[in-house]
Amino acid sequence: YAWGELTTDQISKLNSLDFDWSEDKDEDWNAMCDRLVCYKRKYNTTLVPNPCGEDPPLGEWVRTQRRVYSKYFSSYEDYDEDYIEYVANDVAKRTTAETHSNRLHRLIDVGFVWDPLEEQWLEMYQRLVVYKEKNNSTLAPEEYEKDPELGNWVNNQRMLYSTEDDNGNRLIYEHRA
């Protein structure tokens, strides 16, 4: 036995006693998730800024959730139970897979945004859809008075689309890493 290390046999023995591995972190985690639910009710989003002026620990907690789970989730989709269990088992190190499964379900239920950049892009895209319905065009001027952010975004999309590498090939990214 070396200090700071548990053998598989030692872990099995502790598990046979229904050892609580949580270190009361479930209670803390659930309290933060409850704060996220309140934030979503108030602002209709789970895009909590970090740092969050009104609740700095919440902003940090949300950032941590993205860091832990983001390699598995890009944007909200209807994830099936098998996938959630796979993620929970893969992430489980100091806490149990069941703990992670419960956490994932709560985050998914609240509509947690896994990829804030993708979410912001989709929001701007929806604003462009509305613009096109009203104007029968996607040529939103760069200095569009009704929605200056949309005009800038549309211009940036054109600029990104026209970006080329040193050989003159258009740079297209299938997915942001």
Side-chain angles (χ1 to χ4, degrees), residues 33 44 46 61 63 79-80 92 108 151:
C33 194
N44 199 32
T46 61
W61 181 85
R63 190 176 122 219
Y79 299 105
D80 67 21
I108 290 168

Side-chain angles (χ1 to χ4, degrees), residues 34-140:
D34 290 343
R35 284 160 66 177
L36 178 63
V37 169
C38 291
Y39 184 92
K40 184 173 182 184
R41 276 192 212 117
K42 184 174 181 179
Y43 297 104
N44 199 32
T45 184
T46 61
L47 289 172
V48 180
N50 185 29
C52 177
E54 73 182 58
D55 191 349
L58 180 61
E60 181 61 33
W61 181 85
V62 165
R63 190 176 122 219
T64 300
Q65 302 318 299
R66 285 197 184 103
R67 189 175 56 244
V68 170
Y69 298 114
S70 67
K71 81 174 190 176
Y72 304 98
F73 300 98
S74 56
S75 59
Y76 178 75
E77 296 173 14
D78 188 19
Y79 299 105
D80 67 21
E81 197 62 35
D82 289 339
Y83 187 72
I84 291 170
E85 294 309 312
Y86 162 76
V87 172
N89 281 305
D90 199 46
V91 172
K93 292 187 180 34
R94 294 195 62 195
T95 57
T96 66
E98 180 181 4
T99 296
H100 284 286
S101 178
N102 292 337
R103 290 175 177 183
L104 286 166
H105 281 289
R106 284 207 64 199
L107 291 171
I108 290 168
D109 289 346
V110 77
F112 191 81
V113 174
W114 302 105
D115 184 344
L117 295 175
E118 180 69 13
E119 184 72 15
Q120 291 164 347
W121 190 94
L122 290 170
E123 179 186 324
M124 294 306 298
Y125 171 78
Q126 287 304 317
R127 286 159 66 177
L128 180 60
V129 168
V130 170
Y131 177 90
K132 182 172 183 182
E133 288 171 358
K134 290 181 180 177
N135 299 285
N136 202 27
S137 168
T138 60
L139 296 172

